[in-house]
Amino acid sequence: MNQIEKKMDEFSGGDTSREASPCDDASTNAVMSITAAGKELAGGCNRDVQYEKSEPPNKRPKTTKMKGGPVGLARLFGRPTRSGDSGGDTCCVATENTATASSASTSVAAAIFPRPLSRPLYHQQQHHQQQSQQDDGFFTFRLERRVSGDLARHRGEERILLFRSDRPGAVAKIIYSSEAGGGSDSSRIQARIHALDVKETYRGRDLGGLLFSEAIRAIRDQYGQAALVRSTASSTTCAASDCGDDTRNSSSTTSSSPFEIRCQLDAEEDVRRHNRLIDFYQQLGCIVKPNAKTQYLYNNDGESYRKIPMEIFLRPSTTAHCTGHHQIVESSSTQQQPHSVSTSASLVGHVGGFLPVQLLETSGSKISLFDVHVPGKETVRATDWVLADDDDGNIQFRTTHGDRLVVTDDGGVQCNSESILSADDFCSFRLCCFPDEEVSAQVISDIDESDDDSYTKSRPFVSSKQLFALRNRGLYLTTDPYTHCLSCTSTPTFWQANSSNLSLTCTADTPPRRLHYRNAWINQTVQWVSAMKKTFLKFDIRRMTLKDALDMASLLPFNPLRVNSQGPSLRTFSFEAAESFRKAGHPDWVLLIALIHELGRVVRLLLEKDAAAEAEDCGYDWTISCHSRIVGCRAPSGASFPEFRSLCPDECETRYSTSIGIYEEGCGLQRVLMSWTGPEYMYFLLRHNQVSLPEEAFAMLRYFQLGDWHSFGEYADLCNDEDENVRLLVSEFDEQRREARRDCRCSEDLTDSDCDMLWTTVYSKIADKYGCGGYLRW
């Protein structure tokens, strides 16, 4: 727990310095051309689009190499580094000898995108520089904008290419052209999208929308800057000639008249996928041309296609402002709401690399976002996201439609907020990692420095569910539990990165909780449980009443695995849990079990100072109730936190590797060794003090933690008929108890008088009835 608090203190401090590493530029290895114009292929058919073979190095256009590396992305989606690796602290640190952007990380499962292909001989140098990155499997994407040159088929043709950092050749591209009108119509710009293609393997993350947004932004910026230069030159000439006010106003009006850009395209789609491509472009701000005629095409491939003319109108103003190294051109729409791309910095040439990432809730559903493009009309929309590293190793969230996620002054979360967009502090999130490995090596050495070193060597430890926090100016990115949209909170909230599907999941998990369960896997063995029972089942610590224990529970937090200490006390939860069962109409003995089932935690307060200090040094508080398991046999495959399973010493014991282990088949759960926890201690305490509760009460108290049994049917080989008779009862108790815990999170702490009244009027009578109202041996 102290390690977690120390980590949060470090997270609240200054920025962690890092050393940037050069990133190899894979874009020089690929040049593409298109065989026919007018083939719009984002998510649709891909006929007539061919990728040419890469040209020799001396014929490829020169490009600028990236200066930074994807430090944050590598930390999120690379293999978790061990405490001895470089960069094992809050951020991944690239070393001086790092040759590629991602060599500070190790592998990401490339389940979404394929492994790199073999390279020609003249690429051996690039292959050598990128070898470690290929072996690791981690990569990022980058965009490059090129003037087509000799390959151009249209005047003013350009292309934006999408590359992987670990292989040559573009994986997606958009080809477009633009040209200013001549004569009196020089203010009208004609633009056209000629091709938009995303290779089939890379579809499904709206990379086509990203390319389209970047192309529209490039066109807007190009002519918006030209208009700004024209306006500035005219104003300078007017001032030099000392012209009159009328002339100056007239000149200003003429020079500052905005260009009108009409961008056209042909949406060509398979007739069997009716309107799929039309909908794609409409979401990007395009409209079908009025009175346009649909053409039907029939090719030798036996498929039928239809071509629908579409267009989008852009009107950049002559007022530009700068944000960092990027120039942003303000814009407004004419005939329809345009695709909103000019309010954020381009990803073309972005030095940090980026990845298309899904933001998910714990349930697996996509996290939504409040759309504030129309003032006063907020709507909820699903969004495809791109995560980009900024120049300082932080993370920026961008939509594939060109907006950046920003945190407002009042702590809100918005996209496309022009008033604060110029400050990167509002859209960069500092990444703080809480790796499970930081304390694993220490704990392992503490529990096993025996003469049998085969145990340590046979247990490689890799955790794929370590936690991350995303912080911006003291606020943490999270999801609103009611709207299921992105929001910010002052309470640390944690995310888990899944490299197999490139997703970030907002989780209710916390570093203290993961630490507790990891230590539970390490400590809860047959030998340790037997030793704890031998120590504590003497019941020679103290004699006191349940009321005394409840009063002591007021000193303990309700949820000790939270990051902060906010929330009611354990005493408040005990009474509120019992009250919830009373309101539901359960028997009085169920109320009593609900009241005392967590009181085993007060044992830590009863121990002598030396014993308490020893338990504190161990770092594991066994009195906290958690998902339990039976030791001495094989743990279920679905046991909680299976990523820590390899840390359990019993996993290497062959006698514990079967479904019954050291027990007899059908022996019954009363005869097995269970995890030593607070509720387990309370079960034996009531047995030892010979209270007169029914057997169902004892089953509830001991087995409610054993969710793998009562909810999923595990340990069937050990159960007998008595266990089956109470399983449903135990499951219902645990469900009601969980609901009480959820309701108690936001409750206020009960006062001493409130607790005394409840005990005197209700629960003391129940305790007396079942023989546990007096002094008990603890």
Side-chain angles (χ1 to χ4, degrees), residues 271-502:
V271 295
R272 295 177 300 179
R273 306 163 78 178
H274 186 70
N275 280 343
R276 180 171 179 178
L277 199 56
I278 302 298
D279 294 340
F280 168 76
Y281 283 114
Q282 286 178 340
Q283 292 177 5
L284 295 171
C286 300
I287 60 171
V288 178
K289 286 184 179 180
N291 302 320
K293 293 184 179 180
T294 301
Q295 300 182 25
Y296 289 89
L297 308 175
Y298 303 92
N299 275 11
N300 295 331
D301 56 6
E303 301 292 341
S304 299
Y305 305 90
R306 64 174 194 155
K307 184 191 297 184
I308 301 94
M310 302 186 72
E311 60 188 2
I312 180 173
F313 289 89
L314 316 170
R315 188 184 294 274
S317 71
T318 58
T319 303
H321 58 278
C322 292
T323 59
H325 303 291
H326 306 279
Q327 190 172 33
I328 309 303
V329 182
E330 296 178 354
S331 64
S332 60
S333 61
T334 55
Q335 299 186 17
Q336 81 282 343
Q337 180 69 25
H339 180 44
S340 152
V341 294
S342 61
T343 58
S344 60
S346 172
L347 281 173
V348 174
H350 182 73
V351 297
F354 63 89
L355 283 173
V357 174
Q358 292 180 325
L359 299 185
L360 305 175
E361 295 184 276
T362 306
S363 61
S365 59
K366 283 188 176 181
I367 298 174
S368 302
L369 179 72
F370 275 116
D371 193 343
V372 294
H373 283 84
V374 181
K377 295 183 179 180
E378 293 187 353
T379 58
V380 177
R381 63 183 170 99
T383 306
D384 291 290
W385 294 95
V386 169
L387 261 63
D389 278 299
D390 66 7
D391 296 337
D392 297 323
N394 299 324
I395 294 292
Q396 290 188 1
F397 290 80
R398 308 185 182 211
T399 69
T400 52
H401 290 187
D403 301 326
R404 287 198 290 188
L405 186 72
V406 295
V407 179
T408 60
D409 285 325
D410 59 357
V413 174
Q414 296 180 3
C415 270
N416 195 25
S417 180
E418 299 182 23
S419 61
I420 61 174
L421 192 58
S422 59
D424 286 340
D425 291 342
F426 290 86
C427 52
S428 293
F429 292 85
R430 186 179 176 190
L431 182 67
C432 183
C433 174
F434 297 86
D436 299 314
E437 295 84 349
E438 284 192 348
V439 287
S440 63
Q442 177 183 357
V443 175
I444 290 174
S445 62
D446 287 344
I447 66 170
D448 184 40
E449 299 198 357
S450 62
D451 41 13
D452 183 10
D453 60 352
S454 61
Y455 156 65
T456 304
K457 294 179 180 179
S458 63
R459 297 163 26 264
F461 177 73
V462 175
S463 171
S464 61
K465 295 184 178 181
Q466 58 186 343
L467 300 178
F468 298 89
L470 298 161
R471 183 173 181 265
N472 180 286
R473 296 175 296 127
L475 298 175
Y476 298 87
L477 188 66
T478 184
T479 56
D480 189 292
Y482 302 102
T483 63
H484 305 286
C485 294
L486 286 174
S487 62
C488 277
T489 176
S490 58
T491 302
T493 305
F494 300 96
W495 299 73
Q496 287 179 329
N498 188 340
S499 60
S500 64
N501 62 358
L502 290 181

Side-chain angles (χ1 to χ4, degrees), residues 690-731:
Q690 299 180 356
V691 300
S692 57
L693 287 165
E695 287 299 320
E696 291 83 356
F698 289 104
M700 281 183 180
L701 180 57
R702 192 184 191 203
Y703 304 142
F704 79 86
Q705 303 174 100
L706 198 61
D708 292 328
W709 166 67
H710 63 68
S711 296
F712 301 102
E714 300 287 354
Y715 303 112
D717 293 338
L718 298 176
C719 298
N720 56 24
D721 293 340
E722 294 180 0
D723 300 326
E724 291 299 322
N725 292 336
V726 298
R727 189 172 72 168
L728 181 60
L729 191 63
V730 173
S731 179

Side-chain angles (χ1 to χ4, degrees), residues 524-580:
Q524 296 284 358
T525 63
V526 172
Q527 180 180 357
W528 188 83
V529 170
S530 300
M532 297 301 285
K533 293 181 68 175
K534 183 178 180 181
T535 299
F536 287 96
L537 295 191
K538 298 175 183 178
F539 297 107
D540 56 357
I541 301 176
R542 182 183 297 183
R543 294 180 71 251
M544 66 178 183
T545 64
L546 292 178
K547 180 61 168 59
D548 296 333
L550 287 168
D551 290 340
M552 295 182 67
S554 65
L555 305 175
L556 298 172
F558 146 65
N559 186 356
L561 301 182
R562 294 182 62 168
V563 173
N564 53 35
S565 58
Q566 297 177 357
S569 66
L570 176 60
R571 181 180 65 174
T572 296
F573 167 67
S574 298
F575 278 108
E576 290 195 355
E579 285 294 282
S580 68

Side-chain angles (χ1 to χ4, degrees), residues 52-70:
E52 291 184 351
K53 294 182 179 179
S54 300
E55 298 180 6
N58 59 347
K59 293 186 179 182
R60 293 197 298 272
K62 294 182 179 180
T63 56
T64 303
K65 291 192 176 184
M66 298 161 60
K67 298 181 180 180

Side-chain angles (χ1 to χ4, degrees), residues 34-36 38-41 44-50 197 203 268-269 296-301 303-307:
I34 186 168
T35 60
K39 310 305 183 202
E40 297 306 323
L41 304 170
C45 56
N46 60 350
R47 60 188 182 86
D48 295 338
V49 175
Q50 299 177 359
D197 179 53
R203 296 174 186 171
E268 183 179 324
E269 64 181 6
Y296 289 89
L297 308 175
Y298 303 92
N299 275 11
N300 295 331
D301 56 6
E303 301 292 341
S304 299
Y305 305 90
R306 64 174 194 155
K307 184 191 297 184

